[in-house]
Amino acid sequence: GNVTHDFDWTRLPRLDYRNPLVRQMMRDAFTYWVREFDVDGFRVDAAWGIRRRAPGFWDELRRRLAGVKPGVFLLAEASARDPFYVRHGFDAAYDWTAELGHWSWEKVFDDPGRIGPALDAALASRATPMYRVARFLNNNDTGPRFVARHGVATTRVAAVLQCTLPGIAVLYTGDEIGAEYDPYDHHGPPLSWVDVHGLRPLYRRLAALRSELPALRRGAYRRVALPGHPEAFAFLRDAGAAGRALVVLNFGPATRLALPVGPGARTPPTWDALGERPVDVRRSGPGVLELDLGEKDAVVLVERARRAAASAPRRPARRYASSRSSCRGWQGFARWPSKPASSARWTSRGCA
């Protein structure tokens, strides 16, 4: 028959998933990597393409993998705004809009004075539970790197946002050093792993916080309004008796913020777990906290009583790596909350 393909991907022909031998071949390919190399998960390239032609395949694959190694993690390269994927075998999906390949945060940072409302719109969907959404600042489809478009200071605050929201924080190759390149430039020089922007310590600290603070792993998300400050964004991660974390991000100039957090905290959260320093947080009314935040700054506030527990040694957050033949690869950290931290192996599987 005629060979067909999506877009201009002439080197990636569509396979005929109506053929039982094709489906068996793909199931065997996945299970080979689990059996032979004990991988913990797959980032499944173009998962949306298979869904269009053989929507039942992903449930078949999940059952097969469960028989080999229960708990193998499947990340769909498909939009989390479509609940199909987490209902049919996948553990998580991409933070895309309903438009194929378009990042939900694509235009959020274009106007620093409107970042708050723009983020509210980008985070509004609950089609996929928030903790099962893969969040990123860069991937192979986002074009110029985030740091090149928005600068180092905004990148630092955005990284804190990415890693403290519910979801799976995913780092694309070079994010941790602020690398600037085009993922599809096959003629560019190899990446230099010199951390010229000093971002690696920040990412290390953010990964550690995901391990240290239960609120960042499994805490419920509640937006904290900041009237009159659309350049700022705040939210509470509440894990009940396990603790709370108040995340406050300022994408604009230095400012004083009033945070209507409501009742619940007996004492103000005056310890910044991110910067590992005390912060002057004051009560300015019933259920309202006040603090001064510097230009393009961020804090993760916890009660001082939680500081000692959070500083206890923890096993590092789970890490993954995967590769894609057409670009420079993926890496990520902080697997979704229900899984224990440990070392892990990932691979990527394209199955169009």
Side-chain angles (χ1 to χ4, degrees), residues 49 79 132 170 187 200 206 234 246 294 304 311:
S79 177
R132 298 177 74 171
V170 179
H187 304 291
R200 188 178 278 123
L206 289 168
L246 177 61
R304 277 186 174 272
S311 62

Side-chain angles (χ1 to χ4, degrees), residues 241-257:
R244 308 201 306 175
L246 177 61
V247 181
V248 189
L249 309 119
N250 178 26
F251 291 92
T255 189
R256 176 166 293 176
L257 298 171

